[in-house]
Amino acid sequence: MTEQYVLGLQEIDETQVAVVGGKGAQLGGLSRIDGISVPGGFCVTTGAFRRVMAEVPSTDELLDRLSRADPDDRGTIRTLSAHIRRAVEETAVPDDLAVAITRAVSGLGEDVACAVRSSATAEDLPTASFAGQQDTYLNVVGPEAILRHVSRCWASLFTERAVIYRQRNGIDHRTVHMAVVVQRMVLPDASGILFTADPVTGNRNVATVDAGFGLGEALVSGLVNPDVYKVRDDEVVARTIAAKQRAVHTLPAGGTREVTVDSQRQEQPALTDAQVVRLVRLGRRIEAHFGRPQDIEWCLVDDGFQIVQSRPITTLFPVPESGDQENHVYVSVGHGQMMTDPMKPLGHSMWRLTAMVPMHEAGGRLFVDVTRRLAAPTSRAGLLDVLGKGDPLIRDALETVLDRDGFVPTLPDAGPGGPPAGGPPAPLETDPAVVTRLIERSERSVAALERDIRTKSGPELFDFLMEAFEEHKRVLSDPLSIQAIMAGMEATWWLNDKLLEWLGEKNAADTLTLSAPGNITSEMGLALLDVADVIRPHPELVTFLQGVEDDGFLDELAKLPGGTEARDAIEAYLDRYGMRCVGEIDITRPRWSERPTTLVPVILDNVRNFEPGAAELRFEQGRQRAQEKEQDVLSRLRALPDGEQKADETKRMIDRVRTFIGYREYPKYGIISRYFIYKQALLNEAGSLAQAGVLACTEDAFYLTFQELRDAVSSRQVDDRLIRERKDAFRSYHALTPPRVLTSEGDALTGAYRRDDVPAGALVGLPVSAGTVEGRARVVLDMADADLEAGDILVTAFTDPSWSPLFVGIAGLVTEVGGLMTHGAVIAREYGLPAVVGVEQATRLIRDGQRIRVHGTDGYVEILP
């Protein structure tokens, strides 16, 4: 059957991206929507492009060289891409293809002016718009000129900007093909862009219209400021009318030119309010057809709207599906768990199955719906208090939502139900045996899980895991465990509040908690110093580790002098802590036991930066500083009125905080210990599916939810297309910044610090560990890339417990995400590191190597000259 190289728009729909590219598929879909006018036209298919590219000399060699080029090597990319473009433009269009295009042009009308528009297969997709990466030519007149511009569109697949965009998004140049859309040119009175959701706030109920006179090129190129209208519920709720001094019009012989707008028209609106509302209604119809918010290019011709493009708005953070039309307010889980990266489907489905509260997924992140708790005054106050203590930005974002009239309904508080059965829990004694007992309980439960899961496989394994998740939640919700966690946190708050009131001292608890006993996360960092002590005396081991790239290095290590002891020390560390990793709440992330090379740079930093015995010395120095601080505080309190009573109360709270604050870290360790056991069992099942050819590879199981994987194990079938779609979506989620608070209307709120007590130009955050330190900023986004010297200040997006081995070698900490009681803050206090967290865009605003000053007591960071 002869391949069709030309298709009319009416023959196309949005499923045919591979044939007509993203723009062509969208236009075909648009042309099928009732009530939507699209200028007539056709597509030159990707088959035509492939046929022409096969004739271009040296294509394979040039594409190979282009693929190997570094995205930052602009000179090489510029030279290679220009060479390819020139070769494509100089390749003659085959006769039969030229005839087909010319015939299609004639069908649009005699001597018709056309727009010739690139339409790549990786363009205008739900996960990546690629807007502006390829070329469009307006007002092209005559078949010869149109053929010439079709070739230019093919060549524009290799513009420098398009090549760099693909390389940075991990897209192979060979997998992208170019179609070309040819449409009858429209000569509009006005044109512009319609966003069916507010592109700034994300609100899906507010549409934004940008409008100007003449062709839309004037707006796109930035030649003029547009009129801007905001529309909600068929009403223009805001408008800004700009002085539109310039416009772009067509020339009779082809091409376009800039013209000056008559001075009397410049400040007239390009559209009436009635036209704006009518346009938005058309936009809502288009949005409903494509199933997501759209960025729509429109033209006004004789009071009728022509739609010339529609693409998804890919920058909006997705809204969790609620299944109803009610208002909802969601709080980010990742900001509390110190992991704001997207999670793969198996990861977020497992976290939901083992969490204590219902969660909703959006953009690969998890959110908790807090609407009902915000609706009742008492629960609202409690929620704002707890969240505000942890992260003031979340509280501020929630208060912003509450300030909107009627968005969160007001419900009565629950009626008095009387005390719970059995009365309130008995007050928890300040007794280290409580913590010992809790840890023993958790260890027994994990050991039982590890023992019992060994005999389970196939569907029986998934039945067993569902029961194991119930035990998981039972351990997490143990009332005694929760009491112990709260005892440490409440004692910390009490000490900070009272010692500020009585002694005028900020964050006194930070010093009083130094080297608190029983903190599994701080012990993990110190234990890696002990591993470095084993390696340090052997230069051959250090040299070997500096060249390690393969995760199987431990066996090779044992062949060197001192290597057996080094291997044993690393393996003992992995036995204790190997279930941890960066982003550990996502079960699909590689654990240290699976990828031990992750630890090698940290071990080498410890070898270089520390003396033997540093772990014990650091812990003892912290303990002594805390003891000295305790004596100092108690002595000063006794000199006050009612001093003995104040000192006695404070001493009880110091004992309490040191007894319980370390346990704050243990439940997470227990969770992640269980996760590693679950993961190993699930990987065995995924490996069997891969061996049987059901999955392409074991890791493809990560793109299935727990239930989907369970079904696959039972049916021995998997939808390959679903896995491909999930992989594309997951890649796209990395470009999205998750908000702290998200509404069902799509408003993405990050919150703000309402403070005026910081120097001009300083970066504001939350003070979580007292002290001031000045040093070199090391901006580290991946723990495996850390290269730290003594005195460096770590600047990163977030730190979960896996980052704590880095904390022993730094002088201070700055993160974009965090709260007073999140893991990084707790460990920073234990190690005595001045720390400021919740600093918006810290990793962008602070450059690697800059000198900065961290004010851990007052909560801000200064960038020094």
Side-chain angles (χ1 to χ4, degrees), residues 330-347:
Y330 303 97
V331 170
S332 165
V333 171
H335 285 80
Q337 289 295 335
M338 298 299 94
M339 214 294 275
T340 55
D341 287 348
M343 299 167 75
K344 294 189 178 83
L346 186 61

Side-chain angles (χ1 to χ4, degrees), residues 708-726:
E708 288 166 348
L709 181 56
R710 182 180 193 168
D711 293 342
V713 167
S714 295
S715 68
R716 312 298 284 178
Q717 289 183 321
V718 167
D719 183 348
D720 294 337
R721 190 179 47 129
L722 176 68
I723 289 176
R724 284 196 303 273
E725 287 172 358
R726 294 268 176 83

Side-chain angles (χ1 to χ4, degrees), residues 463-734:
D463 293 338
F464 172 83
L465 284 172
M466 291 305 292
E467 293 176 13
F469 297 162
E470 292 309 308
E471 167 67 4
H472 180 125
K473 289 192 275 192
R474 188 196 65 74
V475 172
L476 267 186
S477 61
D478 182 339
L480 185 64
S481 177
I482 294 167
Q483 274 187 285
I485 293 168
M486 291 308 300
M489 292 167 66
E490 287 165 353
T492 301
W493 296 331
W494 188 95
L495 286 166
N496 280 336
D497 290 347
K498 291 298 183 183
L499 295 180
L500 178 62
E501 178 188 341
W502 293 337
L503 299 177
E505 188 163 337
K506 286 183 181 179
N507 303 326
D510 293 359
T511 307
L512 294 167
T513 55
L514 287 170
S515 298
N519 187 317
I520 190 78
T521 308
S522 60
E523 289 168 3
M524 179 171 70
L526 296 173
L528 208 57
L529 289 175
D530 291 334
V531 172
D533 286 354
V534 178
I535 293 166
R536 191 179 293 105
H538 305 284
E540 281 183 76
L541 296 182
V542 175
T543 302
F544 171 78
L545 289 174
Q546 285 169 341
V548 158
E549 293 181 0
D550 185 346
D551 284 313
F553 71 91
L554 288 172
D555 289 337
E556 293 298 312
L557 187 70
K559 298 174 185 176
L560 299 170
T564 303
E565 294 84 353
R567 182 192 63 189
D568 291 348
I570 293 172
E571 286 183 341
Y573 185 87
L574 292 173
D575 285 344
R576 178 78 164 137
Y577 304 110
M579 77 293 290
R580 311 218 80 150
C581 68
V582 173
E584 61 193 8
I585 69 169
D586 182 350
I587 199 172
T588 72
R589 292 285 190 109
R591 312 285 134 175
W592 290 343
S593 288
E594 297 169 318
R595 193 173 290 173
T597 49
T598 305
L599 293 173
V600 170
V602 192
I603 293 171
L604 289 171
D605 283 349
N606 289 347
V607 167
R608 185 175 67 247
N609 295 333
F610 291 93
E611 297 297 319
E616 187 176 350
L617 179 64
R618 282 181 65 103
F619 187 82
E620 182 56 27
Q621 286 174 338
R623 194 187 65 77
Q624 286 181 8
R625 279 186 60 201
Q627 199 168 29
E628 289 164 8
K629 184 68 175 177
E630 176 182 327
Q631 291 167 355
D632 169 62
V633 164
L634 296 178
S635 168
R636 288 157 63 199
L637 285 172
R638 289 190 183 103
L640 299 177
D642 299 322
E644 287 298 332
Q645 182 182 340
K646 289 184 171 99
D648 287 348
E649 285 183 68
T650 301
K651 171 61 176 165
R652 282 197 298 276
M653 285 298 175
I654 291 172
D655 291 346
R656 195 163 179 79
V657 82
R658 292 192 66 80
T659 297
F660 292 116
I661 199 65
Y663 180 71
R664 161 75 180 82
E665 292 292 297
Y666 196 85
K668 183 74 171 285
Y669 175 79
I671 291 170
I672 301 307
S673 298
R674 290 172 184 279
Y675 260 44
F676 193 39
I677 297 168
Y678 302 153
K679 181 178 186 179
Q680 289 169 309
L682 291 172
L683 279 177
N684 284 337
E685 296 301 318
S688 297
L689 292 177
Q691 204 167 10
V694 178
L695 291 174
C697 65
T698 301
E699 287 72 25
D700 275 1
F702 295 159
Y703 295 94
L704 300 173
T705 65
F706 178 83
Q707 184 58 50
E708 288 166 348
L709 181 56
R710 182 180 193 168
D711 293 342
V713 167
S714 295
S715 68
R716 312 298 284 178
Q717 289 183 321
V718 167
D719 183 348
D720 294 337
R721 190 179 47 129
L722 176 68
I723 289 176
R724 284 196 303 273
E725 287 172 358
R726 294 268 176 83
K727 286 180 178 179
D728 288 343
F730 180 72
R731 274 194 294 270
S732 75
Y733 293 155
H734 283 278

Side-chain angles (χ1 to χ4, degrees), residues 433-453:
V434 172
V435 173
T436 303
R437 192 160 71 247
L438 284 166
I439 290 173
E440 287 173 351
R441 272 190 212 174
S442 177
E443 288 178 343
R444 281 197 303 272
S445 180
V446 171
L449 171 66
E450 195 166 21
R451 181 190 66 237
D452 296 343
I453 205 170

